[in-house]
Amino acid sequence: MTDTSEDWRSLLARWSQEWADAQDGDPQDRDEEPLRTRRLGFPPAPEERIRELEERLGHRLPPSYRTFLAVSDGWRHAGGFVWVLAGTGRARWHEDAAGLSEYFPGELRDDSTPGDELLAGMWGRALQLDVESDAVYVLLDPGDVDEAGEWAVYTWAPWYGDMPRRYGSFRTFMEAMYREFHRLRAGAPERGGPVFDNATTRALDASVTAARLDALGGRYERAAEALAEAVAFGRPRATGLHDQLRRLRGETYLVSFRGLAADPVYAAEIVPVLAKEHARMHRDGGLTAHALPGASDAVRVGADEILRQIREGTYRYTAEGPFGRAVEEARELARWGDTDAAWHTLRAALPDWRPLSSEHLAPLGVLADPLLGPLITPDRGRELLATPRAGQPGDTPPPTADLDPPGLAWLADETPGTSRTSYRFVLVEGVAPADLPSRIAAAGEPTDLYAPTTPQSAPTRFRAADHVPPWADTALAAVGRAGPGWSFAFEARSHWNVDERRFVSPGLAASRDTRTVTVWSGPPRDHRPGFFHLSVAENGEERYGVTARGTTAEHRGPVPESLRLPPDGPDEHGRYERRVLEALATEFGVRLPRFALTRGRLHTLRTRPWNRAPGPGESYVTVRLVPHRP
């Protein structure tokens, strides 16, 4: 940041000329002189007058305000809402004249931040610079000083609707007001005002055009910097482009895409992203006029349909050409849990992606796809943006790390649902996930899988069903691929009431003409020891198994040494559980997809009971929970 007299002269002269050129109609009384002279400032303050002000205040003024006064002793039209800014003769202590210290930040507490403490004292010690304004206070704070001796500037108005705004120095404040002037004037043609065209706007518009090519070439950080500057000046194309970069980096706050959603050319790509955020924030209601200003009836009707699909989880992102084919391939991988492979497929096809038109920077709509959207983490969004697209030259970035750890051992550390919950699963060899219902589903259940859903929205509240006995312990299990040639059915819960006397592995029935692996683990709970069951079945019979409770265990059949319980039994840290999971992964070449089970969407089914019916004379107490079909 520069702050010499020449720097001030250059900024203030440019500001004055652009302001004068932008005026239209009859000026107000206070504008007659600046229009005539084409100067928003005043004659410079002599050094003697600046020193007199410092003596009156008992402070040496901060460097940028002091240098400003030596160029212009005050200012008119600082932004759109401060009409006269004080020079040496009208600057005065504020002394909390408006009583705002009562409200901002309010009463200090033990956990108040240093910023709260600064703000609390600012109202009583600050120098007030606003002379005429639209109820805007401009306060220069001698208690908030940086290493260069600059005082922070705070502004506030009743219509802000939020906390006071802070600027690091008077120079920073004035530069922000210059940008505010540009933003307000940039929208004048839309309101019937004059076209706002000058050297500054032309240079900014040229930077937007260059930023678009930078973004398509993978140089998104440079593009984002240029676009952010253009957005601050209100350039019309900048926000739509910049918001695309922001959203792919994981930002959602005030992302509107500036009219692109209302444009029929881009609506199919942009509306789903807005609809997804709307559905996340609001349970009902359509996309508001604020989200689609100026949209045609056709776009609005299409938006309502997209919002319905988003809420029901049936929206599908599509694209043309090779990238579109990669989208379909990636979706098929993702719905069975192969989310890393799905991302690799999308990433490899990114160079083949083509924009809808000149305001389109990336396949943004994929973020709204219920299966593919969760794959685009902020890191992957940045990787996407760093990949050259649309035929633009550029360097391919190194890939981000995969999200899924290999094997099964991660279950010993973190289980889907909550930290260290119970979990149970069945792995079936040689059977596709879509065919698992015929092997493992409860009697009376449909022969197809439930639609993909998230762990959070999967049915967790249940109703009675006629075909489910009240004693039956069925699992609502997520389904997918568990590695080459294997499928899984997995359920996690915070607790289970395990009764080993009535336990029946659903893997037995599922193992006809193949092999299955069944695991059930529950950590210690309420002074009860942990529980761990492992069994391997083939052709309807258990080949071997281990059932451990605390430090005791039962071994059945020829259990491999790597899976046997150590002499001192399982320990409270789960080392035995981890060792068994690692051995299973090595022995059978299996894995479970952590990302899909915790953050993705997977098909589900309700398994056959994990227990047998009560025998003669046996009683039971249970609460049966039966899932709604999605």
Side-chain angles (χ1 to χ4, degrees):
M1 182 181 65
T2 56
D3 187 42
T4 66
S5 296
E6 188 55 41
D7 293 324
W8 275 113
R9 290 190 186 94
S10 175
L11 170 63
L12 301 181
R14 182 169 68 253
W15 191 343
S16 294
Q17 297 295 320
E18 292 171 351
W19 177 88
D21 290 341
Q23 301 311 300
D24 185 40
D26 295 330
Q28 299 185 35
D29 290 343
R30 63 170 167 263
D31 295 341
E32 290 181 356
E33 181 184 349
L35 272 175
R36 178 176 53 82
T37 62
R38 299 177 66 82
R39 179 183 170 93
L40 289 171
F42 297 91
E47 178 65 19
E48 295 78 11
R49 193 181 303 165
I50 296 174
R51 289 179 180 175
E52 287 174 3
L53 173 61
E54 291 175 331
E55 290 175 4
R56 174 163 61 87
L57 299 176
H59 283 272
R60 180 172 175 82
L61 294 173
S64 62
Y65 183 52
R66 202 177 196 283
T67 306
F68 164 79
L69 292 174
V71 174
S72 178
D73 195 7
W75 191 253
R76 287 166 285 219
H77 294 292
F81 309 101
V82 179
W83 304 316
V84 179
L85 204 61
T88 55
R90 305 177 79 174
R92 73 276 189 200
W93 293 120
H94 179 60
E95 297 178 335
D96 199 17
L100 293 172
S101 61
E102 180 181 353
Y103 306 101
F104 304 109
E107 184 178 352
L108 293 176
R109 302 185 302 270
D110 291 341
D111 61 348
S112 295
T113 66
D116 291 335
E117 295 173 1
L118 274 175
L119 183 58
M122 183 273 295
W123 305 101
R125 64 176 178 256
L127 190 66
Q128 186 166 347
L129 299 185
D130 57 282
V131 176
E132 295 181 31
S133 71
D134 186 9
V136 179
Y137 293 93
V138 181
L139 304 175
L140 193 58
D141 183 11
D144 187 353
V145 184
D146 68 12
E147 62 278 2
E150 293 289 358
W151 302 3
V153 172
Y154 289 83
T155 67
W156 186 80
W159 42 265
Y160 271 14
D162 57 11
M163 296 291 286
R165 299 169 186 173
R166 180 186 181 278
Y167 305 88
S169 68
F170 180 75
R171 174 78 187 205
T172 302
F173 162 74
M174 287 291 278
E175 289 174 341
M177 293 305 98
Y178 175 57
R179 291 190 293 269
E180 180 176 272
F181 153 68
H182 263 264
R183 282 198 305 277
L184 295 173
R185 292 297 176 181
E190 299 174 7
R191 303 186 295 271
V195 174
F196 188 53
D197 176 66
N198 50 57
T200 301
T201 63
R202 290 191 292 274
L204 288 165
D205 290 345
S207 75
V208 169
T209 299
R212 172 184 172 272
L213 295 178
D214 275 339
L216 292 174
R219 300 173 294 278
Y220 74 92
E221 291 178 321
R222 186 165 76 183
E225 184 177 351
L227 290 171
E229 177 76 356
V231 167
F233 278 84
R235 301 316 302 153
R237 295 178 60 203
T239 298
L241 295 171
H242 190 234
D243 278 357
Q244 294 177 62
L245 303 186
R246 291 182 59 216
R247 187 61 189 84
L248 280 165
R249 290 185 292 179
E251 301 176 35
T252 59
Y253 180 66
L254 294 181
V255 169
S256 68
F257 306 105
R258 183 64 182 274
L260 291 184
D263 188 328
V265 174
Y266 305 103
E269 187 87 17
I270 303 299
V271 168
V273 181
L274 293 175
K276 181 179 180 181
E277 184 64 12
H278 181 83
R280 185 181 72 86
M281 299 294 294
H282 307 284
R283 290 188 175 183
D284 50 26
L287 289 174
T288 64
H290 176 71
L292 297 171
S296 66
D297 290 343
V299 169
R300 290 179 180 275
V301 170
D304 289 340
E305 173 60 18
I306 288 171
L307 180 59
R308 181 191 66 79
Q309 294 174 8
I310 292 290
R311 286 191 165 128
E312 295 177 358
T314 59
Y315 172 74
R316 292 168 64 93
Y317 174 72
T318 60
E320 297 294 330
F323 186 75
R325 292 191 290 273
V327 166
E328 296 304 317
E329 181 182 347
R331 183 182 290 109
E332 184 66 14
L333 290 166
R335 79 185 184 105
W336 301 121
D338 293 340
T339 53
D340 284 331
W343 167 246
H344 296 162
T345 299
L346 286 176
R347 187 187 189 279
L350 278 173
D352 294 323
W353 174 83
R354 292 296 181 268
L356 296 173
S357 193
S358 60
E359 305 303 295
H360 194 194
L361 296 181
L364 198 74
V366 73
L367 294 172
D369 190 285
L371 287 173
L372 300 180
L375 277 58
I376 314 300
T377 63
D379 282 346
R380 283 176 169 172
R382 286 186 283 270
E383 184 180 355
L384 185 158
L385 290 172
T387 302
R389 307 172 299 285
Q392 289 296 312
D395 297 327
T396 301
T400 55
D402 284 349
L403 299 177
D404 278 334
L408 307 171
W410 63 269
L411 288 164
D413 302 320
E414 51 180 314
T415 305
T418 59
S419 176
R420 292 299 295 136
T421 62
S422 301
Y423 63 86
R424 53 187 178 181
F425 62 82
V426 178
L427 308 180
V428 184
E429 186 179 26
V431 176
D435 296 330
L436 284 182
S438 64
R439 299 266 180 167
I440 201 172
E445 283 290 292
T447 58
D448 56 342
L449 297 167
Y450 294 139
T453 188
T454 65
Q456 294 75 26
S457 61
T460 55
R461 304 301 298 175
F462 300 80
R463 59 175 171 80
D466 294 339
H467 61 274
V468 178
W471 50 264
D473 176 19
T474 62
L476 181 67
V479 171
R481 293 194 182 96
W486 290 83
S487 296
F488 70 82
F490 180 99
E491 185 185 47
R493 285 194 204 165
S494 59
H495 66 279
W496 266 297
N497 186 16
V498 180
D499 185 350
E500 294 98 321
R501 296 169 302 174
R502 297 178 53 224
F503 168 69
V504 177
S505 168
L508 289 173
S511 69
R512 65 180 185 275
D513 304 320
T514 187
R515 289 186 301 174
T516 62
V517 177
T518 302
V519 171
W520 189 349
S521 174
R525 188 181 183 90
D526 299 330
H527 306 292
R528 290 176 295 180
F531 169 83
F532 190 87
H533 167 87
L534 158 68
S535 59
V536 175
E538 188 172 359
N539 293 322
E541 295 182 359
E542 182 181 278
R543 293 305 183 194
Y544 60 84
V546 179
T547 301
R549 172 77 75 172
T551 58
T552 62
E554 173 194 1
H555 294 78
R556 302 176 302 279
V559 179
E561 186 62 31
S562 62
L563 302 178
R564 296 185 67 84
L565 187 71
D568 57 349
D571 60 77
E572 61 180 354
H573 300 295
R575 286 193 290 268
Y576 168 68
E577 177 185 7
R578 169 177 283 278
R579 181 166 62 81
V580 169
L581 292 172
E582 289 174 346
L584 281 175
T586 300
E587 175 74 16
F588 298 103
V590 292
R591 54 178 284 276
L592 285 172
R594 180 177 65 183
F595 185 85
L597 287 168
T598 56
R599 296 174 57 188
R601 283 178 176 260
L602 291 171
H603 291 280
T604 57
L605 59 74
R606 190 164 57 81
T607 69
R608 64 179 63 241
W610 288 61
N611 58 348
R612 62 168 175 79
E618 290 183 327
S619 61
Y620 64 91
V621 177
T622 185
V623 177
R624 271 305 303 131
L625 302 175
V626 181
H628 285 289
R629 181 179 174 86

